[in-house]
């Protein structure tokens, strides 16, 4: 987490100073020479400076301002956010949470930068703040329209989350699609807002991905059984197989049982998806259904209805099972997003919410690891048959 904060702080400072310089130059845009050219312009960058922060040293490079006017009329730009004498900032352990909560979700962005440079910094003008927020929104929009030509994602994870931020309309649902490349790298594919995780919203997201070049069907998709995603998926990627998330399924099944029975029932459910073979999983599955269907038919029906989709992971390498049985690759990131948004007050906008999620997930992605058994992804792409997680003999 320290590295994420350090990189985030470095990027924040660079963007904040860049916005401050741009604002300062724009205020002098009326100053022109005889030929009508601007006299105050950007001219490269100053030498990098190292600033000591609460999460370690970070390097900052400030844009250079060139004033072409005669010596007596020239003005020298001095950053008020990071003046020349500053070598150490305030503590920024809380910078990133405040950055997205106060900076993106509400208009009180000054609190975010104040966490970094101190509450009395005079460089936090409204125009600088507006520029910086605009930079992030532009980044999100550029990322959302980037080309996916030539990309292949072997596995994808899909999920949606609702936010308690008070928006212009109802609570906003953010749809997220994450993928694993042929090399085993996890990569954020798409973030979009949708209406209650509906089929229509997911179709729009998937069609957008395909239109931008994502033409190869993933081999497997993982998600919660309640998603409209499953109705949308075959309309766009018809050969992709489906795996239901065991974390979501376990929670849904236990919710239909009395609390006193839940610990034991959870252990039996655990025995299903932790079984070494599909045959053993089927035995544990049958045991759970037989144990509960008389008194608690809703719990048994909830489990039974997705039986085939819950056990698809057995047809893939065992080294990948830990990644395929749940939507944890997304859930772990959303846990951070939910933590941030639960503390958010005030009214936000649709774009602010999307930008916040994008920036948080972008930051978290720096710590994503390769999939276990990445070398076996070539087998999956080639259609090699696996049974109970083991490559089936050619014979």
């Amino acid at each position: 987490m320290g590295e994420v904060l350090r990189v985030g702080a470095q990027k924040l400072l660079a963007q904040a100073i860049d916005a401050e310089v741009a604002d300062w130059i724009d205020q002098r845009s009326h100053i022109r020479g005889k030929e009508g050219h601007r006299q105050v312009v950007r001219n490269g960058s100053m030498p990098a400076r190292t600033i000591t922060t609460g999460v370690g040293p970070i390097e900052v490079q400030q844009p250079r301002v060139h004033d072409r006017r005669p010596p007596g009329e020239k003005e020298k730009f001095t950053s008020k956010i990071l003046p020349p004498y500053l070598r150490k900032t305030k503590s920024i352990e809380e910078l990133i949470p405040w950055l997205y909560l106060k900076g993106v979700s509400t208009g009180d962005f000054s609190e975010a930068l104040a966490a970094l440079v101190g509450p009395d910094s005079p460089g936090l003008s409204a125009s600088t703040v507006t520029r910086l927020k605009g930079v992030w929104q532009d980044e999100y929009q550029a990322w959302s329209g980037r080309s996916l030509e030539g990309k292949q994602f072997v596995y994808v994870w899909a999920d949606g989350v609702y936010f308690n931020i008070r928006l212009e309309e109802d609570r906003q649902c953010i749809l997220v699609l994450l993928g694993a490349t042929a090399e085993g790298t996890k990569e954020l594919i798409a973030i979009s807002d949708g209406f209650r995780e509906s089929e229509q919203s997911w179709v729009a997201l998937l069609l957008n991905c395909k239109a931008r070049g994502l033409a190869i069907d993933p081999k497997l998709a993982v998600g919660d059984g309640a998603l409209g995603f499953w109705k949308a998926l075959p309309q766009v990627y018809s050969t992709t197989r489906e795996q239901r998330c065991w974390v979501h399924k376990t929670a849904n099944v236990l919710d239909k049982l009395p609390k006193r029975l839940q610990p034991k029932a959870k252990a039996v459910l655990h025995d299903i998806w932790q079984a070494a073979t599909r045959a053993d999983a089927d035995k544990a599955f049958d045991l759970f259904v037989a144990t509960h269907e008389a008194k608690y038919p809703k719990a048994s029906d909830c489990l039974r209805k997705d039986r085939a989709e819950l056990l698809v992971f057995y047809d893939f390498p065992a080294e990948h099972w830990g990644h395929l049985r749940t939507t944890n690759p997304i859930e772990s990131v959303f846990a951070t997003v939910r933590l941030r948004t639960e503390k958010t007050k005030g009214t936000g906008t649709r774009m602010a919410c999307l930008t916040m999620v994008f920036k948080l997930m972008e930051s978290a992605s720096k710590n994503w690891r390769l999939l276990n058994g990445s070398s076996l992804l070539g087998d999956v792409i080639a259609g090699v048959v696996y049974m109970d997680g083991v490559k089936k003999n050619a014979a």
Side-chain angles (χ1 to χ4, degrees):
M1 186 61 182
E3 179 63 16
V4 172
L5 284 170
R6 192 187 66 78
V7 172
Q10 185 174 32
K11 188 172 182 180
L12 167 66
L13 276 172
Q15 291 179 332
I17 297 170
D18 189 76
E20 184 188 22
V21 169
D23 184 47
W24 194 85
I25 291 175
D26 277 359
Q27 290 174 18
R28 292 154 181 79
S29 62
H30 63 284
I31 301 172
R32 306 271 174 165
K34 293 180 180 180
E35 297 181 358
H37 300 307
R38 285 191 179 193
Q39 296 297 286
V40 182
V41 295
R42 291 182 58 154
N43 182 28
S45 299
M46 303 278 284
R49 295 166 53 195
T50 299
I51 307 295
T52 302
T53 75
V55 289
I58 60 175
E59 197 172 80
V60 182
Q61 200 163 27
Q62 177 181 309
R64 189 191 303 273
V65 177
H66 179 47
D67 192 336
R68 300 189 180 108
R69 289 176 289 176
E73 299 176 18
K74 285 185 178 182
E75 295 178 82
K76 182 180 179 182
F77 170 79
T78 301
S79 173
K80 295 177 181 177
I81 294 176
L82 278 183
Y85 57 81
L86 185 65
R87 290 291 178 269
K88 186 174 182 179
T89 70
K90 307 294 183 182
S91 175
I92 62 170
E93 282 81 358
E94 295 300 316
L95 171 64
I96 299 301
W98 279 107
L99 171 60
Y100 300 116
L101 286 179
K102 292 295 186 180
V104 180
S105 303
T106 77
D108 194 10
F109 188 81
S110 59
E111 286 193 43
L113 284 175
L116 177 64
V117 298
D120 301 321
S121 173
L124 307 178
S125 68
S127 55
T128 298
V129 168
T130 300
R131 279 183 184 277
L132 193 48
K133 290 169 69 174
V135 166
W136 291 345
Q137 291 187 7
D138 289 345
E139 286 179 358
Y140 165 71
Q141 290 174 328
W143 176 84
S144 295
R146 76 198 186 284
S147 173
L148 296 174
E149 198 73 40
K151 287 277 188 181
Q152 180 175 13
F153 293 101
V154 185
Y155 303 133
V156 294
W157 295 264
D159 206 352
V161 64
Y162 290 90
F163 292 99
N164 292 320
I165 299 171
R166 287 183 288 153
L167 298 169
E168 299 128 324
E169 296 113 15
D170 203 352
R171 283 198 311 163
Q172 190 168 14
C173 177
I174 302 297
L175 309 180
V176 176
L177 194 66
L178 180 74
T181 67
E183 295 73 37
T185 303
K186 283 180 278 188
E187 186 176 316
L188 196 55
I189 303 172
I191 302 175
S192 179
D193 54 345
F195 181 73
R196 301 184 182 279
E197 306 176 58
S198 68
E199 174 188 348
Q200 182 180 356
S201 297
W202 278 109
V203 167
L205 183 149
L206 294 175
L207 284 175
N208 178 267
C209 290
K210 197 160 195 174
R212 289 188 286 124
L214 194 58
I216 304 174
D217 290 17
K219 295 298 183 180
L220 183 70
V222 186
D224 174 13
L227 293 178
F229 175 75
W230 299 118
K231 291 182 179 179
L233 181 65
Q235 298 178 46
V236 184
Y237 298 111
S238 59
T239 66
T240 302
R241 299 183 68 186
E242 303 176 8
Q243 169 66 48
R244 298 294 186 268
C245 170
W246 270 99
V247 171
H248 284 93
K249 179 58 71 176
T250 298
N252 291 337
V253 171
L254 294 181
D255 189 51
K256 294 168 176 57
L257 291 171
K259 286 189 176 180
R260 61 184 175 81
L261 298 180
Q262 288 182 8
K264 188 172 181 179
K266 186 176 182 179
V268 178
L269 290 171
H270 188 272
D271 289 342
I272 301 173
W273 58 270
Q274 283 287 334
T277 66
R278 188 190 292 263
D280 289 340
D282 281 330
K283 289 178 184 177
F285 204 109
D286 291 339
L287 175 61
F288 184 95
V289 171
T291 302
H292 298 97
E293 65 179 343
K295 290 186 176 181
Y296 307 103
K298 289 184 178 179
S300 292
D301 290 345
C302 180
L303 179 65
R304 185 163 39 199
K305 70 174 184 171
D306 290 322
R307 180 167 188 153
E309 292 82 2
L310 283 164
L311 302 178
V312 170
F313 69 88
Y314 282 105
D315 295 337
F316 292 84
E319 290 84 349
H320 298 169
W321 289 0
H323 303 292
L324 303 182
R325 290 181 292 213
T326 75
T327 53
N328 265 347
I330 291 180
E331 284 293 318
S332 59
V333 179
F334 268 157
T336 301
V337 177
R338 286 191 182 101
L339 175 64
R340 304 294 182 253
T341 56
E342 282 172 4
K343 298 177 181 177
T344 304
K345 306 296 181 183
T347 303
T349 66
R350 168 186 167 277
M351 181 54 67
C353 190
L354 281 167
T355 306
M356 177 188 65
V357 175
F358 167 64
K359 296 301 290 184
L360 281 170
M361 295 197 76
E362 181 186 56
S363 182
S365 69
K366 295 178 175 65
N367 286 339
W368 289 346
R369 297 181 296 106
L370 288 176
L371 260 63
N372 296 332
S374 295
S375 61
L376 300 175
L377 287 166
D379 284 352
V380 178
I381 293 171
V384 173
V385 176
Y386 277 76
M387 181 177 293
D388 294 330
V390 179
K391 190 185 301 187
K392 195 173 180 181
N393 292 331

